[in-house]
Amino acid sequence: MNTTNVETERKYLIRFPDLAYLRSIAGCREMAMVQTYLERKEPEVERRVRSITENGGTVYIYTEKRPRAYLSRFEDEREVTREEYERLRKEDGYSELVKTRYAFPFAGHTMEIDVYPPDIGGDVMAGYAILEVEMSDPDETVEFPEFLEILKEVTDEKRYHNKTLAKLMAKDEW
């Protein structure tokens, strides 16, 4: 797997969802993730490695993201071996984020809800989660499931970006 995509997404702060209900949704995927941000080799390129465990199997992904336009970035991804994943974490890693992602289809989109362990970062996200919705167009209207309580859009709020959460959680501050 080696793909280049354009990623256009919006992020929302939501009230912590009912996880049992999420698991009951047809097509819902539950993935345990460890996301490690890597030192930049180029100023505009964000790099990370991620382990994704689902249904007893784990894959390792290397990703580079580059700016494209408002809400959009180029995203290059490729699967890597566990050895390469561990090497990159050790040599270039500077902050790590642990989360569980629940992804399910809704109204023509994939809803991705990230929940974080309550004991990380001084309860930074206790009572909350982040909803990410990928879109084909930045002006696209998004419909939300009624069972989610959307508190506010946080797309432009860096404090809710995964990279920022990883840094803050590593320092145990908010």
Side-chain angles (χ1 to χ4, degrees):
M1 172 185 93
N2 194 358
T3 61
T4 299
N5 297 307
V6 173
E7 174 189 66
T8 303
E9 71 180 9
R10 290 188 179 274
K11 295 183 178 210
Y12 302 88
L13 183 68
I14 64 171
R15 183 86 50 216
F16 197 88
D18 179 340
L19 300 182
Y21 184 79
L22 288 179
R23 291 180 188 111
S24 75
I25 297 171
C28 182
R29 298 174 59 202
E30 180 177 355
M31 296 161 276
M33 298 182 173
V34 177
Q35 195 161 291
T36 305
Y37 289 89
L38 307 173
E39 295 296 331
R40 292 179 186 242
K41 303 276 184 189
E42 302 170 50
E44 293 290 314
V45 179
E46 179 182 291
R47 302 181 325 128
R48 72 170 187 230
V49 287
R50 178 190 272 179
S51 72
I52 304 169
T53 303
E54 180 179 17
N55 298 323
T58 302
V59 295
Y60 305 94
I61 307 292
Y62 172 81
T63 304
E64 291 184 356
K65 294 186 179 194
R66 299 178 317 283
R68 178 177 180 257
Y70 179 65
L71 299 180
S72 297
R73 299 187 287 181
F74 290 107
E75 182 178 73
D76 297 319
E77 290 192 322
R78 66 181 167 87
E79 193 167 334
V80 296
T81 64
R82 180 182 178 139
E83 292 74 25
E84 185 175 3
Y85 166 80
E86 293 295 348
R87 180 185 59 77
L88 286 166
R89 285 178 69 207
K90 183 178 177 185
E91 293 175 7
D92 290 349
Y94 68 88
S95 62
E96 191 166 87
L97 180 66
V98 176
K99 64 185 180 180
T100 302
R101 173 168 285 172
Y102 298 86
F104 58 93
F106 183 80
H109 292 95
T110 298
M111 302 281 147
E112 296 178 338
I113 297 174
D114 290 343
V115 297
Y116 307 91
D119 60 340
I120 291 180
D123 297 330
V124 169
M125 293 297 294
Y128 305 104
I130 299 291
L131 167 66
E132 295 182 8
V133 183
E134 291 198 21
M135 305 167 300
S136 55
D137 182 280
D139 297 323
E140 188 175 342
T141 301
V142 177
E143 183 179 335
F144 300 105
E146 288 184 17
F147 64 86
L148 293 180
E149 184 180 347
I150 309 296
L151 301 173
K152 66 178 180 173
E153 182 173 356
V154 295
T155 303
D156 294 327
E157 293 188 41
K158 289 189 189 253
R159 76 183 293 189
Y160 294 105
H161 292 187
N162 282 320
K163 184 173 147 185
T164 304
L165 290 173
K167 286 180 187 177
L168 293 172
M169 288 178 179
K171 294 178 183 175
D172 200 32
E173 62 184 54
W174 181 239

